Amino acid sequence: MKTISYYFLWVVLILCASCQLKLIPNTENEEGGKVEILRYDRVESLYLTTGDFSALQQMETNYPMETRTLIENILKLGSMDTPEINNKFLAFFQDSTLQVIISDAEAQYANMDDINRDLKSAFEKLKQNVPGIPTPRFYAQITALDQSIVVGDGSVGISLDKYLGEDYPLYKKYYSAQQRQSMTRNHIVPDCICFYLLSIYRMSNFEDHSQLERDLHMGKVMWVSNLATGKQFFQTKYTKMIDNYMKKNPKYTVEQLLKLDDYTKITE
């Protein structure tokens, strides 16, 4: 499964602080499905902290796609078919800092009922505005501070280790104050919506577009994410431009906005 490098990443890093997006080719989207975050992180953390073979079996049996994506595409440790890949995976996380991160993530996210509730509400609102949008499989994981959100194969992976709070001691060593502002629990839902939309409504012929058009493309996705969550998580000059455009065109639907590729209409 080949990872697609998404050109919006640098924009996301500037406008969404530390949130990072990785896209894997979508092949298994479902129209329906329950909106609830699966706790892949729990069986993953059990294996990574104890080496429990039964936990590894659960990872490979119950979460084969998630495990392959993590090992091959995110951590880039090698092919799942490589001998000793599981030992390599286990050894990678034996670093003392990573062990602390795993422990802290599992402690902070022992209960995710509030996130499930908000995600369900946001996705229901999204479906009202974008009828027929597939419901992805949401799951939590730990990625060694590599990615915040991973989208692909009809799924959205949430890296809990990237949402431990702006005052988390380790973050202060590697991230700026601006970046840390979005590395919080309440940013999980808007990030899920934003990056999932980006995976569906990609900008065609990216390199042929101006920087303003690229920024507006990102801005419209952020604007829709704000609409779905009911909060202004993303506030940039481009989301404001989209907001002004939609107010001037009340009959223009959210789905039409997401499919829009002629940004001269917005800048007129």
Side-chain angles (χ1 to χ4, degrees), residues 12-63:
V12 176
L13 289 172
I14 294 174
L15 302 181
C16 299
S18 64
C19 297
Q20 299 176 20
L21 166 68
K22 180 166 286 189
L23 295 176
I24 313 297
N26 281 310
T27 60
E28 299 177 0
N29 280 345
E30 297 290 343
E31 286 293 333
K34 183 178 181 181
V35 178
E36 181 178 0
I37 300 171
L38 302 176
R39 298 307 303 268
Y40 171 64
D41 64 294
R42 287 177 171 168
V43 65
E44 177 195 359
S45 64
L46 179 60
Y47 175 62
L48 296 178
T49 56
T50 67
D52 187 339
F53 182 71
S54 63
L56 175 62
Q57 288 182 312
Q58 289 184 56
M59 290 174 63
E60 296 177 341
T61 302
N62 300 333
Y63 301 95

Side-chain angles (χ1 to χ4, degrees), residues 8 202-215 217 260-264:
F8 288 127
R202 306 185 190 184
M203 188 175 224
S204 60
N205 301 316
F206 179 87
E207 295 180 352
D208 295 334
H209 290 274
S210 67
Q211 187 57 55
L212 176 58
E213 290 174 320
R214 299 173 189 178
D215 291 336
H217 183 86
L260 177 70
D261 59 7
D262 180 6
Y263 292 96
T264 58

Side-chain angles (χ1 to χ4, degrees), residues 238-250:
Y238 306 105
T239 57
K240 292 177 182 178
M241 291 174 68
I242 298 297
D243 189 57
N244 290 333
Y245 176 75
M246 294 301 283
K247 286 179 179 177
K248 292 178 182 178
N249 299 273

